Amino acid sequence: MHASMTGLSAIVTGGASGIGAAAAHALAERGAAVAVLDLRPEAADPAFTGIACDVGDDASVRRAVAEAAERLGGIDVVVNNAGIGAQGTIEDNSDEEWRRVLDINVLGIVRVTRAALGHLRASDRAAVVNTCSIAATAGLPQRALYSASKGAVASLTLAMAADHLREGIRVNCVNPGTADTPWVGRLLDSAPDPAAERAALAARQPHGRLVTPAEVGEAIAYLASPLAGSTTGVALAVDGGMQGLRLRPE
């Protein structure tokens, strides 16, 4: 354990499982007090403050953020991790599904950060970290809607960083590659040949495997830490080199 975040309070949306849970642990290991805002707060690690929150509902968000601030004594760090996936080309998703995914993945970030802004402005070490995706920077098959939502997150991160830098609030995002999360697990389970699908997903990442939630959680904690005080408006890839590397075939 190192104490780079001792005395800070953090909220993590979607923090009961997957990348969110890993981020919550990484923040706590650095000394932060952590509240997990989730649809199923009872599933969160009991070491954290669990609070029910639906990022698709502004009233729910405002209640949850206010409760977190009261219980933690303020909010210094916001990790906007809650999100949902989607598969298909532009032919495959209904207008209703487009609205739903954009509402959760993009407006969810807006609602949570907006509700927390007053607390962040009162902090001298404020940071926001958004969970984006490799889908924002690389064209992936069967991910039109998901990619559009994450492309919006990437642009939103830059705009937020510009808007709030002079208020002392840093805003960054992480771009995970294909991570070994419960959502990816469900996709694999639904594939005709789950083993072959897992092998294909691993092979498209230059380091030859899926990204672990812990690796993404560590990246989030770094961006949230005061040790990254000169880092803002950055998209940190955690993708095994998928975005930037072009290896020759073996």
Side-chain angles (χ1 to χ4, degrees):
M1 175 177 174
H2 49 91
S4 62
M5 300 187 73
T6 298
L8 300 186
S9 299
I11 61 174
V12 181
T13 66
S17 64
I19 289 171
H25 281 282
L27 293 167
E29 287 169 0
R30 285 160 173 77
V34 179
V36 166
L37 277 56
D38 201 282
L39 287 171
R40 297 179 60 246
E42 69 279 1
D45 188 317
F48 306 132
T49 300
I51 299 173
C53 180
D54 176 2
V55 301
D57 179 82
D58 190 57
S60 173
V61 166
R62 291 184 182 276
R63 283 193 300 270
V65 169
E67 181 178 347
E70 181 177 359
R71 295 175 68 175
L72 298 179
I75 297 172
D76 304 284
V77 172
V78 173
V79 177
N80 287 305
N81 172 75
I84 56 177
Q87 291 180 276
T89 73
I90 58 169
E91 292 183 297
D92 298 321
N93 306 109
S94 66
D95 285 4
E96 181 179 0
E97 188 174 6
W98 273 87
R99 294 187 186 99
R100 174 64 175 164
V101 173
L102 292 170
D103 184 57
I104 298 299
N105 291 1
V106 184
L107 283 173
I109 290 174
V110 173
R111 293 183 185 105
V112 174
T113 312
R114 182 172 61 199
L117 269 179
H119 303 288
L120 294 171
R121 287 171 176 143
S123 172
D124 61 358
R125 291 175 287 177
V128 176
V129 184
N130 301 325
T131 299
C132 192
S133 172
I134 181 67
T137 57
L140 305 179
Q142 298 288 315
R143 293 291 185 275
L145 169 50
Y146 184 72
S147 296
S149 74
K150 292 302 184 176
V153 170
S155 294
L156 177 61
T157 298
L158 284 172
M160 290 168 63
D163 283 339
H164 301 295
L165 177 61
R166 289 177 177 166
E167 295 179 312
I169 303 169
R170 296 182 301 106
V171 185
N172 296 287
C173 68
V174 290
N175 283 4
T178 303
D180 199 358
T181 61
W183 180 64
V184 170
R186 289 191 292 272
L187 291 181
L188 292 172
D189 290 342
S190 66
D193 186 340
E197 183 67 14
R198 176 176 282 273
L201 291 178
R204 78 179 182 183
Q205 300 187 129
H207 68 347
R209 62 173 174 82
L210 299 185
V211 174
T212 70
E215 289 168 333
V216 186
E218 288 294 323
I220 290 171
Y222 163 71
L223 291 173
S225 167
L227 295 176
S230 291
T231 303
T232 191
V234 163
L236 177 55
V238 190
D239 62 4
M242 185 176 174
Q243 173 57 31
L245 305 185
R246 300 295 183 269
L247 304 188
R248 295 177 64 180
E250 291 183 301

